[in-house]
Structure formats: C-alpha cells, structure tokens
Amino acid sequence: MGAARVFVARMAGLAVFGPDGERIGRVRDVVVSLRVDASPPRVLGLVVEVATRRRIFVPMLRVTSVDPSAITLSTGSVSLRRFHQRPNEALVIGQILDAPVRMLDSGEEAVVVDASIEPTRSRDWVVERLAVRPRRTRLTRRAQVNVVPWSAVSGLTLSDRQGTEGLLAVFETMRPADVAAALSELPAKRQHEVVDALDDERLADIFEELSESDQRTLLAHLHSERAADVLEAMSPDDAADLLGELPDDESDRLLALMEPEESGPVRRLLRYSSDTAGGLMTPEPIILRPDATVAEALARIANPDIPPALASMVFVCRSPSETPTGRYLGCVHAQRLLREAPFELVAGVVDSELTRLTPDATLEEITRYFAAYNLVAGPVVDAEDHLLGAVTVDDVLDHLLPEGWRDEMTEPSGGFVGSGVSGVSGVSGVSGVSGVSGVSGVSGVSGVSGVSGQTTTTDEMIRGG
C-alpha cells in the first residue's frame, strides 16, 4: 500500500496511474464523509483531474499504492462521470485545510494546515490526525504546528459545518436507526431544529429507533398536538412502549388527543405487561381472509412499508380482518407462498398446526418459541381463537438487550459494525472493461476510453450512493 500515513497536502498534484503504467490524471482533492460525532471521518476517494480537465471520482478502495511521486490504482477502468459533492461530504484540500477549529483541551483557537490519512484493517482509509497551528495574534509570533488526533479539536463534524437544511439532506439518505444514532449526538438546540423540520411520518420512524431517554426528552419538546400526531404515525406497539414510560396523566392526555381509531390499538396493548406477548405484539400484522389468493398474499408482503420480520408470515382469519379478528385459521409462511401458484387460495396452504402464543406468554417463553420453531414472527391468539396480533423477533431482541442499549449505538464505520474485518473483496475492478488506452496527447494519453456503465455503478456503490 506504500506509506502507512499520508499527509493530504503532499498528495495534491500527484500523478495517478493504472496498474500497467497508463496515466489517468492528477489528484486534485480527497473526499471524506463527515460524521455527526467526533470519530475520524472515512476517506471515500480521490478527486482526479483527467487530461480533458474533467474532474472525476475514484474510490479509495481502488488505490493500491500511495508513493511520494505517484498513486497507483488496481485498475485502469474508471468512471468518467463528473464529480459532484454530496451534502455529507467534505473536500480535505478545498474545505478542511485552513478551516478554523478549537482545541478541546485548552479552548485555544487554531487553523488546520494539513491532515493525515491512514489505512485501517478493513482497507478503509480514515483521517486520523490533523496538523494545526494556533491562531496568531498581534502580540505573538507565528506558532509552531502541532499534529493532534482528529478528536482533539471541535468545529469539523457534520453538525458543526452543516446547517439544519444540510443535516436534513444527509439524513434523507440514511436509515432511521442511523439517523437516531446521529441525532442523539447533536446538541439539544440542533436536535430541536431537526425534529421541528421533519414530517410526522419520518419523525415517527426515527422515534421508534431512539432510546427511551431520548424519546422522552424529544417528546417533551413537541407541543401536545404534534406529539399525538407522531404517536399516531408510530407502530402501535412502539407507541405503547413510549406511552408506558410516561406518567399516567401525561399518557392519558396524549391518548385523548389521538384519533380514536389510532388510540384504540394502543390502549389494548397498554393493558398487558411490556414483557409479555400481549405487550410486545403489533396489532397490525398481515391478515387475509381464507378466500384470498396467493397472488394477493404476495402483493401484501411485497409492501416496502412492512418490516421484513412481519412480512415473513401472513395470518388467515375469518371476518373481521382487523384485530381482534374472527376465528384464527392459521398462518402461511412467505416461502410457502413463493412455491404455490398465484391463483391458489391461501386456505389451501394454511399451516393450522403451528403453536400459537397466548397474550400472557412471558419473554422467556417467547424466546424459546422462536428458537424451537425457527421463526421471526409468531401469532398471538386468545382463548376464543381471536388473533390479537403478532410478535416479531426485533421486538424480542429489543427487550432482551440491556436497558439503554440504543444509547451505546454508534454510527457504522464504512458499512461495518464491530472490529476484526480483514478485508473487502470484489470491488477492486470490473473485468472485461478496457482502461486508459489508444489516445494521443499528454504522455501519449489525452483521455480515458472503454469505460462501461458497470464501473460507474460500482464506483457509486463504493461511495455510498
């Protein structure tokens, strides 16, 4: 890989070559993905200027060697799509160098004069250290440059450099769980600005992923009518969990503000202990009548708004089809539906033998049930054979994990959670595509040819888009 630590200012203008020595262009900048917390940002890739003066993006995973005189790629096949910066990205040379920062230990103001990038065991590169110089005043000499860890300064995180609109643009591209983890790292004032700007549906999705303490804090920030609207948009089991953590008078007040058809299922869930099947279940599983076809069932589970665990099984009941239903007849697993003809009726493939959960089943009993039958969802049925809801494995895990586990969640680094990743394969190049070739010009090459759309797609996936 060449140097283990590289200072970015020295990379500016370096020639970039393919594996066979073909010249691709010169480095103009380094693209990093800013984070909300103080963790070192990941290096996404290089901005390379090709001979036509077009600036393109080259993923860092394609870099095999960084030497004092040149950078070598693993393939000469690169995407010619013009580089466009995204909201969560920063250019090290263009935006981070010369940026003002504050030293966390002393409170002293300083300026970034360089940044070092280093490879990790997972073949990612991160900005580990910064070269900073204290700000000069009229009475002081030019100060000495100090190399400090990225986390030793403030002023460079995503929340520091982006306004609320910028953060919202970044959050739009993230999963609710990752937004929740990032939101918890923001200062209270910025949290409130983001929460106020989000629509109710998106905020509800994020609320479901927040820790109980963060839920209570942000719910208290909302005025009562909006808090009720957000609770209505949440899944009933998550709304019940949140209301169950509030004082009774506050919980009753919010329930009274909710629409009756939305508060009804939540009130039913609140009757049960939170560590039983009745307290864990969602009252909105996929329910079909026995005369529904397999095609209808497949269309229901294909709905992207339904969580994967809940989409693993449909439940067949007589009318009414809303919980509590008419007589429960059984369930059909998604895999079974895929093996049947679309015109078949679900009544003909229903599994009526699968053991049911009672609403009073304990957390331990539910866990054993899922393990014994290899399930990710299970029906909750009362003594009169009415389907009350379904318990999913994610709700079980949520209660099995230690209290406050969401507070310990961090943003994934490079798409991984945990350590010990030995490498990432399959992204070093795209075979069957010719590289830089056959065009006269600077050093015998004035352009890059033979690049297919597959390279473009791969590069965008590596970048995270």
Side-chain angles (χ1 to χ4, degrees):
M1 179 62 75
R5 178 184 297 174
V6 183
F7 281 91
V8 173
R10 300 176 186 176
M11 296 174 64
L14 284 183
V16 179
F17 294 97
D20 298 324
E22 64 273 36
R23 182 167 179 152
I24 293 175
R26 289 187 176 276
V27 175
R28 293 306 179 201
D29 220 317
V30 175
V31 186
V32 298
S33 177
L34 292 178
R35 297 169 62 92
V36 174
D37 59 20
S39 301
R42 185 167 66 101
V43 180
L44 299 177
L46 308 175
V47 177
V48 175
E49 185 177 87
V50 297
T52 57
R53 304 192 69 81
R54 178 191 291 261
R55 296 194 174 192
I56 65 173
F57 174 77
V58 176
M60 206 62 190
L61 283 172
R62 296 194 186 278
V63 175
T64 58
S65 176
V66 180
D67 296 313
S69 59
I71 291 174
T72 305
L73 306 182
S74 61
T75 174
S77 301
V78 294
S79 168
L80 284 179
R81 179 179 294 182
R82 191 181 298 276
F83 169 74
H84 291 287
Q85 187 177 350
R86 296 175 179 174
N88 65 318
E89 296 173 347
L91 301 176
V92 177
I93 297 175
Q95 296 174 317
I96 293 181
L97 301 194
D98 294 329
V101 294
R102 184 180 296 276
M103 306 302 297
L104 292 178
D105 57 350
S106 65
E108 186 179 16
E109 293 185 350
V111 176
V112 179
V113 296
D114 208 343
S116 75
I117 60 174
E118 303 176 21
T120 66
R121 288 182 296 174
S122 63
R123 290 184 59 199
D124 275 332
W125 287 69
V126 295
V127 182
E128 281 287 356
R129 296 181 174 275
L130 298 170
V132 299
R133 176 184 286 119
R135 279 188 176 276
R136 183 180 179 183
T137 66
R138 294 179 181 179
L139 302 178
T140 61
R141 293 184 175 183
R142 186 178 179 86
Q144 182 180 356
V145 173
N146 298 312
V147 178
V148 299
W150 173 275
S151 57
V153 305
S154 64
L156 295 178
T157 64
L158 189 62
S159 57
D160 292 329
R161 299 179 63 84
Q162 293 272 25
T164 301
E165 289 186 6
L167 279 176
L168 291 169
V170 174
F171 288 166
E172 277 297 314
T173 66
M174 298 168 60
R175 295 175 183 269
D178 295 333
V179 176
L183 190 64
S184 65
E185 299 287 341
L186 295 176
K189 181 176 182 295
R190 184 60 62 86
Q191 282 184 351
H192 296 164
E193 292 171 351
V194 170
V195 166
D196 291 342
L198 291 169
D199 62 63
D200 293 344
E201 293 287 342
R202 180 64 167 168
L203 184 57
D205 290 339
I206 295 167
F207 253 70
E208 292 175 359
E209 305 297 338
L210 288 169
S211 67
E212 293 175 355
S213 58
D214 286 336
Q215 284 180 332
R216 291 194 297 269
T217 299
L218 291 178
L219 193 70
H221 163 71
L222 302 176
H223 59 75
S224 298
E225 289 76 11
R226 184 161 191 226
D229 291 340
V230 171
L231 286 166
E232 289 177 354
M234 294 173 66
S235 62
D237 53 323
D238 287 309
D241 287 342
L242 174 52
L243 289 170
E245 295 295 322
L246 301 179
D248 290 342
D249 57 343
E250 185 177 353
S251 176
D252 292 340
R253 178 172 56 83
L254 291 173
L255 282 168
L257 291 172
M258 296 171 64
E259 295 294 332
E261 62 269 20
E262 299 291 346
S263 64
V266 178
R267 291 180 187 275
R268 287 198 297 272
L269 292 175
L270 288 170
R271 298 173 189 165
Y272 301 102
S273 173
S274 62
D275 59 353
T276 63
L280 292 173
M281 68 183 179
T282 172
E284 298 177 343
I286 302 175
I287 301 172
L288 296 171
R289 292 165 53 97
D291 58 353
T293 64
V294 168
E296 292 176 63
L298 289 172
R300 293 284 299 277
I301 68 175
N303 184 345
D305 293 331
I306 296 177
L310 205 56
S312 68
M313 183 181 291
V314 300
F315 303 97
V316 183
C317 307
R318 299 200 183 279
S319 296
S321 296
E322 294 183 355
T323 56
T325 67
R327 182 167 171 257
Y328 172 72
L329 301 178
C331 61
V332 187
H333 302 269
Q335 281 188 327
R336 178 66 185 273
L337 291 170
L338 293 170
R339 294 196 297 265
E340 300 296 331
F343 56 80
E344 294 286 350
L345 298 181
V346 293
V349 296
V350 70
D351 180 0
S352 59
E353 302 299 324
L354 180 67
T355 304
R356 305 108 182 256
L357 293 165
T358 69
D360 296 320
T362 65
L363 186 59
E364 181 179 354
E365 290 171 331
I366 300 168
T367 306
R368 293 180 184 277
Y369 171 82
F370 277 1
Y373 295 104
N374 296 318
L375 298 173
V376 293
V380 181
V381 181
D382 65 15
E384 288 77 35
D385 270 351
H386 302 302
L387 179 70
L388 303 179
V391 176
T392 56
V393 68
D394 55 306
D395 291 320
V396 175
L397 290 174
D398 195 3
H399 284 72
L400 286 176
L401 288 167
E403 185 176 352
W405 67 270
R406 292 185 188 275
D407 290 326
E408 300 176 10
M409 283 283 289
T410 57
E411 292 182 82
S413 176
F416 294 96
V417 173
S419 58
V421 180
S422 59
V424 181
S425 61
V427 293
S428 61
V430 180
S431 60
V433 183
S434 61
V436 183
S437 62
V439 185
S440 62
V442 181
S443 299
V445 181
S446 65
V448 184
S449 64
V451 183
S452 75
Q454 187 174 1
T455 305
T456 299
T457 303
T458 305
D459 287 0
E460 291 301 311
M461 289 176 63
I462 294 170
R463 190 176 170 193

